[in-house]
Amino acid sequence: MLIIKKFVIIASLLLALLFAGCTDSTTSDGEVADLKVAYLPSDHDAPLFVAAEYPDVFKDEYGVYLQEVENKKTYELYENDKLVANVEFIKVIEGGAKIMTLMAQGQVDVGLNGVPPAVFSIDQGTNAKIVSPVMAEGSAVVVRNDIPVETWDEFVVYIKEQAESGVQVKIGHPLPTSIQYVMIKSALDAEEVTYTENPNDKDAMVQLINCKGQGTMPQLLSSNELDAVIAWEPTPEQLAVSGIGKSVIYSGELPPEGVWTNHPCCVFVASNDAVENKRESVKAFLKLMALANNEITANPKLAVNASAEWLGTDLEVEELSIPNIGFTNEIGSLEAIGPEFVKVMDEQGAMTGQLAGLEDAEEINAILYDFTLYNEIMEEIQ
């Protein structure tokens, strides 16, 4: 009888441990999560680079950190010395729209990309939400070096003078779903500069050209196929350092006046499935990114060095680029500008799904955002 009682006690303890493990698991089935995180080769992604390059900063101070398995590809994510996720970083060179496509296909759990690609994809029915901010501003209009202008106002005058002479100015942008595309169209509208994307339409003052990313921009400017580009960092500084172009205005200063000041640019987007089934892993990763933002604000050199390492850029370029980016954990401007993005994109004909025609800010934000994890993280790190 005593043996049976001992057996029951041991069995009960084992079951208790088993269920305790399930309630503290990183996935819904008790396994350590495999977290797939997509990013762009951009200085806007510096929090990710800093967390990967300086794990001891976060391990010693905060207890949440990455441990490298394969450089720039796979890492183990720990919190309080417990493995909470196996993280795979997926570099996407085609832009944020590609990241959202991968997320819609179930190939990505978390994406670090611009607001408009996320808005467009969510509008089209992708089961995902914007869950945390990353940074603000960080783009510029760059004009070819041989064009005799130094400021945005001078560039606008130049465009109109060229139009009077029958010459169409060509401006490149990364992608039709990029924030840069949204901003340049908005700015040209504000200046009453007409534009087209049809190469056969010669009546407009400007032809907007999809560069399908930013990799071809230096060549297109150097060969005079483009007169200017709007690009995210570090491309504007690379063009300046190489002598190809010059920044005439940074994105926060673009017209309409005040609209783009401190504008959100890149955000973390998570699939609904990841938030539901890999919740603790997603939360730990987002916490690490928020802490990385704080560290960059305190010591921008971390972002300079880490970005140069991950992107293969010169330190001189990064030293010029990083100060143009506001790495922030604030969501106020993100909540405020979400409806504005939807409005601008709707006016441009980009909204054809669940966001089309919506004007109520609360309704729009409920579709776009889920800051539940963000709010929990802010309570823990502040």
Side-chain angles (χ1 to χ4, degrees), residues 2-60:
L2 183 60
I3 294 174
I4 294 175
K5 287 184 177 180
K6 287 183 177 180
F7 175 79
V8 170
I9 292 170
I10 292 170
S12 299
L13 288 171
L14 288 173
L15 285 170
L17 289 170
L18 176 62
F19 284 109
C22 288
T23 57
D24 193 35
S25 64
T26 55
T27 69
S28 58
D29 60 2
E31 297 294 327
V32 173
D34 292 324
L35 199 65
K36 295 185 178 182
V37 178
Y39 72 97
L40 302 171
S42 159
D43 282 350
H44 295 189
D45 297 51
L48 185 154
F49 307 153
V50 168
E53 290 297 309
Y54 297 98
D56 289 346
V57 169
F58 303 95
K59 180 179 181 180
D60 297 341

Side-chain angles (χ1 to χ4, degrees), residues 363-376:
E363 186 177 1
I364 290 170
N365 286 344
I367 293 172
L368 292 179
Y369 304 126
D370 181 355
F371 292 129
T372 305
L373 291 178
Y374 165 85
N375 290 329
E376 291 178 12

Side-chain angles (χ1 to χ4, degrees), residues 53-173:
E53 290 297 309
Y54 297 98
D56 289 346
V57 169
F58 303 95
K59 180 179 181 180
D60 297 341
E61 185 71 18
Y62 308 109
V64 55
Y65 61 96
L66 292 171
Q67 182 169 296
E68 180 183 307
V69 176
E70 183 177 359
N71 184 242
K72 301 178 185 177
K73 291 185 179 180
T74 54
Y75 293 77
E76 293 176 333
L77 174 62
Y78 287 87
E79 186 167 18
N80 299 323
D81 293 322
K82 175 187 174 183
L83 177 63
V84 295
N86 298 304
V87 181
E88 177 185 357
F89 290 132
I90 302 169
K91 182 169 74 172
V92 176
I93 63 175
E94 297 92 340
K98 178 66 173 180
I99 290 178
M100 294 308 301
T101 297
L102 293 172
M103 185 172 292
Q105 295 171 347
Q107 299 182 52
V108 164
D109 298 306
V110 177
L112 201 173
N113 54 272
V115 174
V119 170
F120 177 80
S121 184
I122 293 170
D123 173 66
Q124 296 302 301
T126 298
N127 291 318
K129 300 279 188 180
I130 295 170
V131 294
S132 185
V134 178
M135 43 70 63
E137 300 195 7
S139 298
V141 175
V142 183
V143 176
R144 206 174 60 235
N145 242 356
D146 62 306
I147 294 177
V149 303
E150 300 295 331
T151 67
W152 170 258
D153 290 340
E154 291 176 356
F155 184 46
V156 171
V157 171
Y158 174 83
I159 290 172
K160 294 180 177 180
E161 288 177 345
Q162 292 296 105
E164 290 175 0
S165 302
V167 179
Q168 193 174 65
V169 171
K170 296 181 179 180
I171 302 177
H173 63 85

Side-chain angles (χ1 to χ4, degrees), residues 235-270:
T235 295
E237 313 316 321
Q238 289 175 308
L239 292 170
V241 168
S242 63
I244 296 172
K246 52 196 169 187
S247 294
V248 296
I249 191 169
Y250 286 90
S251 56
E253 302 166 351
L254 278 169
E257 184 177 356
V259 169
W260 302 111
T261 303
N262 296 320
H263 69 85
C265 184
C266 284
V267 291
F268 283 109
V269 186

Side-chain angles (χ1 to χ4, degrees), residues 181-312:
Y181 176 79
V182 174
M183 289 191 294
I184 193 62
K185 291 178 73 175
S186 177
L188 294 175
D189 285 335
E191 301 288 2
E192 298 184 344
V193 171
T194 59
Y195 53 84
T196 182
E197 295 174 67
N198 182 355
N200 297 318
D201 179 4
K202 302 302 180 183
D203 293 330
M205 299 177 190
V206 166
Q207 182 186 347
L208 294 176
I209 297 174
N210 178 9
C211 295
K212 299 178 181 179
Q214 300 196 158
T216 62
M217 287 181 176
Q219 178 185 348
L220 293 172
L221 285 170
S222 297
S223 61
N224 292 355
E225 294 177 68
L226 290 177
D227 300 298
V229 298
I230 182 167
W232 62 68
E233 297 288 7
T235 295
E237 313 316 321
Q238 289 175 308
L239 292 170
V241 168
S242 63
I244 296 172
K246 52 196 169 187
S247 294
V248 296
I249 191 169
Y250 286 90
S251 56
E253 302 166 351
L254 278 169
E257 184 177 356
V259 169
W260 302 111
T261 303
N262 296 320
H263 69 85
C265 184
C266 284
V267 291
F268 283 109
V269 186
S271 71
N272 295 348
D273 179 72
V275 172
E276 180 179 352
N277 295 311
K278 305 179 183 182
R279 189 180 192 281
E280 293 306 313
S281 300
V282 173
K283 180 181 175 181
F285 178 76
L286 294 176
K287 179 189 288 188
L288 179 59
M289 295 298 100
L291 292 168
N293 263 350
N294 290 345
E295 290 296 321
I296 292 171
T297 300
N299 183 7
K301 190 69 175 177
L302 293 175
V304 169
N305 293 337
S307 297
E309 170 63 26
W310 273 66
L311 303 178

